[in-house]
């Protein structure tokens, strides 16, 4: 999953490469010497920019480090302009490379940062090691699908093209639901908050719109509303078996600190046979190996081998 997210985002970054390269060039120039960095910090103070972070240069093959670089750099646009007034070589040096970052470039970088934030958060969630992740497959996958569909409706042409390229890459790996591992669907249905909601993939085709940068929670609530509608349509059937009784019960509410393993432990007397299944299925890690390819410099590479 993390590998696929990586491929999708890298494909999109190709379309916004010029703006990213220009900002990267500015960051690289400032960080090339302690004297330049100190002068830049003085510019930050003069411009009264309140940001605890400082410029960081990315590793261009690691998209999440590029996100972190843009996330920090976009706060210092005014500081870069003042730095250019004090360092006569700054603009000339950048012009010999990819060019000086224009107002449009900074605007593109801010929008790209907000867009990439969704993918960055998804990567962090699916890479977790202290909680169950396999039951969240459909939730995360649907979020990406909806985000890409909505991005194609954005008024910015550059984002349109980027979203189309990313959606093509997404469809190549996750567009055909019949090619997915069925165990992923089982894991989703073992979550008492979203059982019967493995329609998330198809429900994402509903016409919706989320502007770039809208808080991720709004997208979560929207997906939950779609799933709730599906739940009401299905749960009216007559159920008899232990599995049917579990599926027929109303879904649990979505809360931040929900403990799915504790839920099954408490409810095991009601579902003595079914409760044995989560012990096997939910023990499977969503991501078995966190490749260093997806980690920013300084991150810890967590390798979860031998879980099964």
């Amino acid at each position: 999953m993390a590998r696929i997210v990586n491929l999708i985002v890298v494909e999109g970054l190709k379309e916004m490469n010029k703006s990213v390269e220009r900002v990267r060039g500015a960051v690289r120039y400032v960080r090339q010497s302690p004297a330049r960095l100190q002068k830049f910090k003085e510019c930050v103070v003069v411009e009264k920019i309140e940001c605890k972070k400082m410029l960081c240069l990315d590793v261009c093959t690691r998209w999440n480090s590029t996100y972190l670089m843009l996330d920090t750099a976009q706060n210092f646009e005014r500081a870069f302009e003042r730095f250019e007034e004090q360092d006569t070589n700054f603009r000339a040096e950048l012009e010999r490379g990819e060019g000086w970052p224009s107002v449009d470039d900074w605007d593109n970088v801010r929008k790209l940062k907000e867009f990439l934030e969704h993918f960055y958060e998804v990567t962090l969630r699916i890479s977790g090691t202290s909680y169950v992740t396999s039951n969240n497959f459909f939730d995360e996958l649907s979020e990406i699908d909806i985000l890409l569909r909505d991005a194609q409706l954005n008024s910015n042409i550059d984002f349109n093209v980027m979203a189309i390229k990313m959606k093509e890459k997404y469809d190549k790996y996750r567009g055909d639901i019949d090619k997915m591992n069925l165990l992923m669907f089982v894991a989703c249905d073992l979550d008492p908050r979203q059982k019967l909601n493995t329609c998330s993939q198809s429900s994402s085709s509903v016409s919706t719109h989320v502007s770039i940068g809208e808080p991720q929670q709004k997208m979560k609530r929207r997906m939950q509303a779609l799933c709730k509608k599906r739940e009401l349509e299905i749960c009216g059937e007559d159920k008899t078996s232990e599995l049917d009784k579990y599926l027929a019960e109303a879904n649990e509410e979505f809360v931040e600190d929900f403990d799915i393993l504790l839920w099954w432990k408490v409810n095991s007397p009601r579902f003595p046979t079914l409760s044995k299944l989560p012990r096997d299925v939910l023990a499977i890690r969503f991501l078995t190996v966190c490749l260093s390819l997806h980690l920013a410099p300084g991150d810890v590479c967590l390798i979860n081998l031998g879980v099964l």
Side-chain angles (χ1 to χ4, degrees), residues 48-84:
K48 299 179 179 179
I49 299 174
E50 296 182 2
C51 181
K52 295 182 179 180
K53 301 177 182 178
M54 187 39 67
L55 296 179
C56 60
L57 186 62
D58 71 329
V59 178
C60 58
T61 56
R62 298 176 179 175
W63 72 266
N64 54 342
S65 71
T66 300
Y67 160 76
L68 294 174
M69 178 187 71
L70 300 180
D71 182 35
T72 303
Q74 53 101 18
N75 295 298
F76 299 109
E77 181 181 358
R78 298 198 315 275
F80 277 114
E81 293 173 352
R82 181 167 290 275
F83 183 79
E84 188 260 340

Side-chain angles (χ1 to χ4, degrees), residues 228-245:
K228 193 67 176 178
K229 179 181 178 182
R230 178 61 175 164
E231 173 197 339
L232 294 174
E233 293 174 353
I234 294 179
C235 286
E237 299 176 8
D238 183 27
K239 314 289 184 180
T240 53
S241 69
E242 190 174 310
L243 174 61
D244 289 337
K245 289 178 181 178

Side-chain angles (χ1 to χ4, degrees), residues 60-290:
C60 58
T61 56
R62 298 176 179 175
W63 72 266
N64 54 342
S65 71
T66 300
Y67 160 76
L68 294 174
M69 178 187 71
L70 300 180
D71 182 35
T72 303
Q74 53 101 18
N75 295 298
F76 299 109
E77 181 181 358
R78 298 198 315 275
F80 277 114
E81 293 173 352
R82 181 167 290 275
F83 183 79
E84 188 260 340
E85 296 174 359
Q86 299 183 16
D87 190 323
T88 56
N89 295 323
F90 186 30
R91 181 185 284 267
E93 181 76 19
L94 295 186
E95 293 292 355
R96 284 195 291 268
E98 294 296 329
W100 173 261
S102 65
V103 174
D104 289 338
D105 288 323
W106 284 112
D107 185 53
N108 285 337
V109 162
R110 287 191 177 90
K111 291 179 179 178
L112 182 61
K113 172 262 173 184
E114 293 175 355
F115 184 67
L116 292 180
E117 186 173 3
H118 292 274
F119 295 90
Y120 183 74
E121 293 295 333
V122 165
T123 301
L124 291 181
R125 289 197 298 271
I126 65 177
S127 302
T129 59
S130 61
Y131 50 86
V132 175
T133 57
S134 56
N135 59 305
N136 294 322
F137 168 77
F138 248 93
D139 191 30
E140 307 295 0
L141 202 60
S142 298
E143 180 175 326
I144 292 176
D145 185 64
I146 292 176
L147 182 65
L148 294 178
R149 288 174 184 271
D150 290 339
Q152 294 179 76
L153 302 176
N154 193 272
S155 57
N156 187 305
I157 297 178
D158 291 331
F159 267 88
N160 287 151
V161 176
M162 180 183 70
I164 291 173
K165 295 289 185 180
M166 294 175 75
K167 188 63 168 64
E168 289 175 354
K169 184 68 70 172
Y170 171 90
D171 290 339
K172 178 180 178 180
Y173 292 97
R174 285 290 181 252
D176 189 350
I177 201 170
D178 294 326
K179 294 181 180 179
M180 296 182 191
N181 191 322
L182 293 180
L183 202 56
M184 295 175 178
F185 299 89
V186 175
C188 289
D189 278 335
L190 286 175
D191 188 333
R193 298 168 298 170
Q194 58 182 359
K195 54 181 182 284
L196 295 175
N197 288 331
T198 48
C199 62
S200 300
Q201 180 79 5
S202 59
S203 67
S204 62
S205 62
V206 178
S207 178
T208 54
H209 176 70
V210 174
S211 59
I212 298 299
E214 183 176 357
Q216 207 168 26
Q217 286 301 317
K218 289 187 178 181
M219 188 173 296
K220 288 281 189 182
R221 288 195 294 270
R222 199 173 76 199
M223 286 192 295
Q224 290 165 11
L226 291 172
C227 291
K228 193 67 176 178
K229 179 181 178 182
R230 178 61 175 164
E231 173 197 339
L232 294 174
E233 293 174 353
I234 294 179
C235 286
E237 299 176 8
D238 183 27
K239 314 289 184 180
T240 53
S241 69
E242 190 174 310
L243 174 61
D244 289 337
K245 289 178 181 178
Y246 163 72
L247 296 177
E249 290 186 358
N251 288 11
E252 296 288 336
E253 295 295 327
F254 278 83
V255 292
E256 279 304 315
D257 57 349
F258 181 81
D259 189 333
I260 185 173
L261 297 180
L262 179 61
W263 188 95
W264 276 106
K265 181 178 180 180
V266 172
N267 288 276
S268 58
R270 296 197 299 122
F271 307 110
T273 303
L274 187 62
S275 60
K276 295 179 181 179
L277 188 59
R279 298 177 188 176
D280 295 327
V281 177
L282 298 182
I284 301 172
R285 300 305 306 166
F286 197 157
L287 180 64
T288 55
V289 179
C290 292

